[in-house]
Amino acid sequence: MAAACGVDADQAKPNIVFLMTDDQRWDTLGCYGRTDVLTPNIDKLAGQGVVFDNAFYAVAICMPSRTTMFTGRYFSDHRSGFTYPYNRTLPKEEFADSYPARLKDAGYRTGFIGKFGIRLEKLPKTVAEHFDFFAGISTTSKNGPHFPADDEELKTIYRKNRNPKERTLIKGDAMIRFLETQPADQPFCLSVSFDAVKNDRDGDMYGPHVKLFEDKQMWVPENWVEGKNTQLPKVLDYCRGTYLHMDRTSTPELYQKLARRFAVQGYTVDQQVARLVAKLEEMGVMDNTIIIYTSDNGRYHGSHGIYDKAILYDEAMKEPLIIFDGRPGKAGGGRRIDAMVSSADIAPTILSLAGVEVPKAMKGEDLSGLMDGTQDMSVWRDAVLMENFFIQEIWKVQKNAAKSKALNEEIIAGNRSYRSRGVRTERYKYFKYFEHDPVIEELYDLEKDPLEQHNLVSNPEYAELLGKLRAKTETLHKEATR
Ligand SMILES: [Ca+2]
């Protein structure tokens, strides 16, 4: 029987805040070891919560990755990507199994702010069914829908004449507005997707924070390549990351400029985290709130001689993942978790932490046992599945079904497909460009070669391991789509 004063303490549902940045590489945060960036508030959360050191994206490009995190499903399963035939619109019935939809069904007030980034059936009607508070969809902050429609403060936050350099502050303002309008007797789930740290235009940088990094020399990873990387598989010449590198990251000056811009935007996000925590403390709910911090994918930024993401090297695939659970006895004290974790695990974990049943459609694992130390590690996975189905050429004609189909066939027949699939274990990485003839494979020993510069696939000493990882890839792919 519930306590007379209201909700029984044991029954109280925790609040959930899910923060996601755009294209923020895992190692651009202080808590992952970088000293030339400024992320003190995110680092503080990491120091109080748990930090995952072996989290990997199931797919490392915007829309498919976001769909995976909302639904707890792998890319081959939801197939909601940019290019034919993996360009499925997510049916509204399937979104009804997403973590926010399930939490709303369980009595939560749900909010979403920022870049929605999912190709969902019957937008914006479908999001209106599952969110009480919504300010987003487009990558530009000012395009709606924004609701509740009668919220004048929300309209002011998203006013048309607001300086676009404040795009991250706008998300912060909307986040605070959601919390200001939160009823005290209802749990909430707020998901915030920042446009930062993606895009590198002057118009995306918040002026006062630009000054902090103006003269700073940024760290350069050893696998950053000046000019063109002639060691890459030739098929990657068709990948946009390869040619964008030449324009954007292939000289020391270009690299430094972009690294500074990543850092500026990372700091602006960090300041919104400070505002969030201060507001939760003011509301007196930090001890019943879970904050998750991650990004939608990483970025090479010139590592391997590639600019952006999606290809299965660690700079894109490794996921920064911090979970702070403010409930008494749940704090992690900054504990590092090295178990193999997938971005498909986030949705089932959110539901589990909220005490809500995980739908069968979710194929990811529940991380809560890793967080509180109760997980039987003898039954935890030793590898995660990684996939890339993006092809730049088809993406350009994605709105025309007939053209997409024809171009897809032409690309595969012409041996220009760099679609790939593989596995990451704690020590090894294996993947194959499976539509290429002959199939191109890459194998790395991350313990000896953490920057993935020495492909071991032809080394006879690794033949047995190669066989195992090939088989593992097939097994995990089958399980992901069963
Ligand atoms: Ca992204």
Side-chain angles (χ1 to χ4, degrees):
M1 195 176 156
C5 60
V7 180
D8 188 294
D10 293 335
Q11 301 296 314
K13 296 279 191 201
N15 305 307
I16 311 280
V17 182
F18 181 37
L19 305 175
M20 182 197 284
T21 50
D22 198 352
D23 282 25
Q24 187 171 32
R25 183 161 138 173
W26 69 277
D27 63 1
T28 57
L29 295 166
C31 59
Y32 281 100
R34 275 285 281 277
T35 54
D36 57 349
V37 294
L38 277 176
T39 53
N41 296 288
I42 296 162
D43 299 343
K44 192 174 168 191
L45 269 188
Q48 295 168 340
V50 294
V51 182
F52 292 87
D53 281 320
N54 276 316
F56 295 90
Y57 296 106
V59 50
I61 187 165
C62 296
M63 180 167 69
S65 177
R66 289 160 194 263
T67 306
T68 287
M69 286 196 252
F70 266 109
T71 63
R73 296 165 59 186
Y74 292 90
F75 187 18
S76 281
D77 186 33
H78 64 66
R79 304 188 305 285
S80 188
F82 292 102
T83 63
Y84 177 91
Y86 310 97
N87 57 346
R88 190 165 166 264
T89 296
L90 197 73
K92 63 184 181 60
E93 295 78 15
E94 293 182 21
F95 193 73
D97 272 342
S98 67
Y99 77 81
R102 284 294 180 126
L103 289 180
K104 184 163 168 65
D105 292 346
Y108 273 71
R109 176 177 181 242
T110 53
F112 185 88
I113 294 160
K115 177 178 175 179
F116 189 63
I118 294 183
R119 192 195 292 120
L120 179 58
E121 192 187 31
K122 292 192 169 57
L123 274 173
K125 198 170 160 272
T126 309
V127 294
E129 280 173 29
H130 300 293
F131 293 95
D132 300 289
F133 181 106
F134 196 94
I137 284 191
S138 158
T139 49
T140 54
S141 308
K142 288 163 194 168
N143 294 343
H146 305 135
F147 59 80
D150 60 353
D151 189 328
E152 292 302 323
E153 179 66 25
L154 197 57
K155 281 181 198 162
T156 307
I157 291 167
Y158 283 89
R159 63 189 178 275
K160 296 282 181 204
N161 62 353
R162 193 164 176 184
N163 189 341
K165 293 187 176 194
E166 294 182 7
R167 64 180 190 159
T168 300
L169 283 70
I170 291 171
K171 311 294 181 302
D173 291 350
M175 186 170 77
I176 299 299
R177 181 62 186 161
F178 174 87
L179 295 173
E180 279 171 357
T181 53
Q182 175 60 36
D185 59 354
Q186 190 182 9
F188 62 84
C189 172
L190 174 63
S191 306
V192 185
S193 288
F194 293 98
D195 298 309
V197 300
K198 194 180 177 186
N199 292 347
D200 316 284
R201 299 165 302 197
D202 286 339
D204 298 321
M205 309 290 137
Y206 181 55
H209 296 168
V210 171
K211 291 187 177 65
L212 294 170
F213 296 92
E214 236 162 21
D215 304 314
K216 201 153 189 171
Q217 272 299 303
M218 305 301 290
W219 168 77
V220 185
E222 278 176 42
N223 63 354
W224 172 77
V225 177
E226 184 161 11
K228 186 176 162 61
N229 181 2
T230 54
Q231 305 300 310
L232 285 177
K234 287 280 169 271
V235 70
L236 291 184
D237 282 351
Y238 301 104
C239 149
R240 78 174 172 183
T242 311
Y243 56 80
L244 286 181
H245 168 64
M246 298 310 289
D247 287 342
R248 301 186 184 178
T249 42
S250 61
T251 70
E253 296 73 24
L254 286 170
Y255 174 86
Q256 285 295 327
K257 185 177 156 192
L258 281 170
R260 279 195 289 274
R261 291 181 170 203
F262 261 28
V264 168
Q265 296 191 73
Y267 181 71
T268 312
V269 171
D270 184 79
Q271 294 305 293
Q272 310 317 306
V273 173
R275 294 175 72 193
L276 168 73
V277 170
K279 186 69 189 172
L280 293 169
E281 280 171 352
E282 181 197 311
M283 292 164 73
V285 298
M286 268 300 265
D287 62 355
N288 193 36
T289 298
I290 294 160
I291 304 173
I292 301 168
Y293 186 95
T294 190
S295 190
D296 70 333
N297 55 257
R299 194 153 80 165
Y300 305 107
H301 212 149
S303 285
H304 306 282
I306 314 176
Y307 173 70
D308 62 353
K309 57 245 178 177
I311 310 299
L312 304 185
Y313 299 119
D314 265 11
E315 289 82 6
M317 301 312 297
K318 190 161 173 173
E319 177 175 7
L321 181 61
I322 298 157
I323 306 184
F324 163 87
D325 188 338
R327 292 176 293 179
K330 300 279 187 183
R335 195 159 52 86
R336 313 292 295 207
I337 295 177
D338 61 7
M340 298 307 295
V341 163
S342 166
S343 57
D345 300 341
I346 290 176
T349 301
I350 290 175
L351 293 183
S352 169
L353 290 168
V356 171
E357 192 190 345
V358 177
K360 282 200 174 61
M362 290 188 179
K363 308 254 172 47
E365 302 287 340
D366 170 10
L367 303 177
S368 62
L370 296 176
M371 292 166 60
D372 65 16
T374 59
Q375 176 65 42
D376 174 1
M377 293 311 294
S378 70
V379 295
W380 192 256
R381 63 160 86 89
D382 58 2
V384 288
L385 177 70
M386 308 175 306
E387 299 178 288
N388 169 45
F389 289 174
F390 183 77
I391 293 181
Q392 170 72 5
E393 286 177 78
I394 311 177
W395 180 57
K396 289 177 185 167
V397 297
Q398 62 167 323
K399 288 196 172 77
N400 184 320
K403 270 192 186 170
S404 295
K405 188 172 186 296
L407 187 54
N408 187 59
E409 283 162 13
E410 187 189 319
I411 287 166
I412 294 167
N415 235 359
R416 305 201 301 275
S417 167
Y418 48 91
R419 287 188 178 127
S420 47
R421 172 184 296 136
V423 288
R424 177 71 155 81
T425 71
E426 198 172 340
R427 180 162 178 182
Y428 299 102
K429 157 90 57 82
Y430 163 79
F431 62 92
K432 59 177 177 177
Y433 297 93
F434 59 88
E435 286 178 341
H436 195 273
D437 182 20
V439 168
I440 301 166
E441 295 174 293
E442 299 194 36
L443 172 68
Y444 297 98
D445 179 344
L446 284 310
E447 199 176 281
K448 293 179 184 160
D449 178 26
L451 300 177
E452 300 169 298
Q453 292 169 300
H454 307 285
N455 185 3
L456 299 168
V457 89
S458 307
N459 185 329
E461 286 174 34
Y462 290 84
E464 192 186 335
L465 175 73
L466 184 62
K468 281 184 186 162
L469 295 177
R470 280 175 180 151
K472 191 82 189 176
T473 300
E474 296 318 308
T475 304
L476 291 189
H477 179 236
K478 211 169 177 180
E479 284 176 6
T481 53
R482 72 176 182 266

